[in-house]
């Protein structure tokens, strides 16, 4: 019995240590941020709509960060900002240097008095209004949280994907423009024609056995994206229904050797143009090139430091005996959170 008791204690200690590790690894999250208030709900009265804010932390945080707004699913009848898929994605992108939020929005039970015949149609309109206000909140608070207002993405699952698509592709005003959209099992329900050539790029995946949001809806969006000549990537999950959270966050299936997580990451990195602020430093000869272009060299480490301090992402090339540095051929979006402060320290150490 003593041996069994000791094993149980050791197991509990291991579990506690594992949970503690996850907690300290998780990016800082602030809850209960009201981003707007709905004062016209006949059933529930005034209602603060809240978001959870995820901020990257540590010395590797860039001065100017992309933003990402995540929107939960639930058929417009249920779900919250703390649902697992959005929380997981928000955590992943925050670890890559984004400022992320996961939002609550009005559901059918709130009886929102927005245009539309059915309760679901009214809820879609309300959710789109609420998501638009989340964009405004992020832009209004861009300075406080170091967000680049010209690099904001929005995405969601199911109802959250529908909301993201309507927010991104309807003409709602320049103050709610976003710069990339992610749709996980979403639809535009006949509004595909609103997509035009000036609209943001789209990353989309959908199960071809989905009987909740039919796969044909995704094909309609793809046809509209092609007609409008917007940048898009569309991945079909063969044999999957509506429940595609697992493959969205997991290690399979793969497309061209990459998981959906990796494809999602790389798409946002490319389409939000996060590489445009890179500065490459070559310690072998103390020279470098801004934006990786041989036509714009700077010749001293002090010049490199000046560029780094503007908030540009800096990658290091070359090797020295005292510093472990990143070779230029190893540049990937996984490294994007290596930023000006890290490089400033490295440059000062080199000096």
């Amino acid at each position: 019995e003593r041996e069994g008791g000791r094993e149980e204690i050791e197991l509990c200690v291991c579990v506690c240590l594992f949970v503690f590790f996850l907690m300290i690894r998780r990016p800082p999250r602030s809850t209960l941020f009201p981003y707007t208030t709905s004062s016209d709900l006949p059933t529930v009265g005034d209602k603060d709509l809240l978001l959870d804010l995820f901020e990257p932390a540590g010395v590797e945080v860039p001065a100017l960060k992309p933003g990402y707004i995540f929107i939960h699913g639930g058929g417009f009848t249920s779900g919250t900002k703390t649902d697992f898929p959005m929380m997981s994605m928000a955590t992943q992108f925050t670890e890559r240097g984004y400022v992320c939020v996961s939002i609550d929005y009005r559901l059918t039970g709130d009886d929102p008095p927005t245009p539309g015949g059915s309760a679901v149609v009214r809820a879609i309109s309300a959710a789109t209004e609420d998501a638009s206000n989340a964009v405004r909140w992020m832009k209004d608070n861009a300075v406080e949280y170091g967000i680049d207002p010209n690099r904001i993405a929005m995405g969601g699952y199911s109802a959250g994907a529908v909301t993201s698509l309507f927010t991104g592709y309807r003409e709602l005003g320049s103050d709610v423009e976003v710069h990339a959209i992610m749709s996980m099992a979403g639809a535009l329900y006949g509004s595909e024609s609103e997509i035009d050539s000036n609209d943001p790029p789209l990353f989309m995946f959908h199960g071809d056995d989905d009987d909740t949001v039919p796969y044909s809806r995704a094909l309609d969006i793809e046809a509209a994206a092609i007609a409008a000549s917007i940048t898009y990537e569309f991945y079909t999950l063969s044999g999957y229904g509506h429940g595609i959270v697992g493959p969205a966050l997991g290690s399979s299936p793969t497309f061209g050797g990459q998981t959906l997580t990796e494809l999602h990451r790389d798409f946002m990195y490319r389409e939000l143009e996060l590489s445009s602020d890179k500065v490459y430093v070559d310690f072998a000869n103390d020279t470098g090139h801004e934006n990786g272009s041989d036509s714009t060299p700077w010749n001293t480490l002090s010049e490199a430091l000046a560029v780094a301090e503007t908030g540009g992402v800096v990658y290091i090339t070359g090797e020295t005996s005292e510093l472990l540095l990143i070779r230029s051929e190893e540049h990937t979006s996984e490294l994007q959170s290596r930023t000006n402060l890290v490089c400033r320290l490295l440059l000062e150490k080199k000096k």
Side-chain angles (χ1 to χ4, degrees):
E1 290 182 0
R2 290 180 179 177
E3 285 293 324
R6 186 171 65 183
E7 290 176 357
E8 289 178 1
I9 292 173
E10 290 175 350
L11 178 61
C12 288
V13 171
C14 289
V15 170
C16 289
L17 288 174
F18 178 70
V19 171
F20 176 72
F21 170 77
L22 291 178
M23 291 177 64
I24 61 174
R25 182 176 176 270
R26 182 177 299 161
R29 168 176 157 242
S30 303
T31 63
L32 304 180
F33 270 85
Y35 67 89
T36 191
T37 299
S38 292
S39 58
D40 56 358
L41 300 177
T43 301
V44 299
D46 291 0
K47 181 177 182 178
D48 284 339
L49 297 175
L50 308 177
L51 59 80
D52 283 3
L53 173 71
F54 297 74
E55 297 180 84
V59 296
E60 297 183 354
V61 176
L64 198 60
K65 301 168 280 291
Y68 207 143
I69 299 169
F70 290 98
I71 308 178
H72 67 81
F76 297 100
T77 63
S78 62
T80 73
K81 58 186 171 59
T82 59
D83 285 359
F84 170 74
M86 298 303 101
M87 294 285 283
S88 179
M89 286 186 177
T91 298
Q92 290 175 1
F93 275 88
T94 303
E95 289 174 345
R96 296 184 180 112
Y98 291 64
V99 175
C100 297
V101 300
S102 180
I103 70 169
D104 278 337
Y105 54 92
R106 288 172 289 172
L107 304 173
T108 55
D110 296 318
D111 193 19
T114 47
S118 70
V120 171
V121 171
R122 293 198 305 275
I124 292 174
S125 297
T128 302
E129 287 182 8
D130 298 341
S132 298
N133 282 323
V135 176
R136 294 187 182 98
W137 182 94
M138 183 168 274
K139 292 184 177 183
D140 289 344
N141 291 275
V143 173
E144 180 175 355
Y145 297 109
I147 300 167
D148 185 343
N150 296 311
R151 290 174 177 166
I152 294 176
M154 174 180 285
Y157 167 57
S158 189
V162 173
T163 301
S164 299
L165 290 164
F166 273 96
T167 305
Y169 296 120
R170 277 192 164 176
E171 297 296 331
L172 301 175
S174 59
D175 59 334
V176 297
E177 286 182 356
V178 293
H179 308 95
I181 296 290
M182 183 273 291
S183 171
M184 179 167 41
L188 273 168
Y189 293 114
S191 295
E192 295 82 9
S193 61
E194 296 199 37
I195 298 176
D196 64 43
S197 59
N198 297 315
D199 281 334
L202 170 64
F203 183 83
M204 178 172 62
F205 49 103
H206 211 113
D208 61 4
D209 279 347
D210 192 334
D211 57 4
T212 301
V213 180
Y215 179 67
S216 60
R217 296 291 189 180
L219 295 177
D220 291 341
I221 294 173
E222 181 184 35
I226 293 172
S229 298
I230 68 167
T231 299
Y232 81 97
E233 290 183 10
F234 176 33
Y235 297 96
T236 297
L237 297 172
S238 298
Y240 282 88
H242 195 62
I244 56 174
V245 170
L249 302 174
S251 58
S252 64
T254 59
F255 300 84
Q258 287 189 287
T259 65
L260 284 171
T261 295
E262 293 166 338
L263 292 165
H264 182 190
R265 172 201 68 194
D266 291 348
F267 182 88
M268 292 302 173
Y269 179 73
R270 182 176 64 254
E271 298 306 325
L272 293 177
E273 299 180 348
L274 300 181
S275 61
S276 62
D277 293 331
K278 294 177 188 172
V279 176
Y280 299 90
V281 181
D282 186 347
F283 282 107
N285 55 17
D286 289 352
T287 63
H289 301 90
E290 185 176 358
N291 296 334
S293 169
D294 291 339
S295 64
T296 55
W298 33 261
N299 298 314
T300 66
L301 292 177
S302 61
E303 289 181 46
L305 177 58
V307 174
E309 286 180 333
T310 66
V313 177
V314 181
Y315 289 152
I316 309 302
T317 68
E319 294 180 353
T320 69
S321 58
E322 67 269 6
L323 293 176
L324 177 62
L325 304 173
I326 307 166
R327 295 185 180 90
S328 59
E329 64 267 22
E330 294 175 344
H331 291 164
T332 66
S333 56
E334 197 65 55
L335 301 176
Q336 68 179 325
S337 63
R338 294 183 178 269
T339 60
N340 57 330
L341 181 55
V342 171
C343 295
R344 188 180 73 205
L345 297 174
L346 291 173
L347 291 168
E348 288 176 349
K349 185 172 181 179
K350 176 63 179 176
K351 287 179 180 180

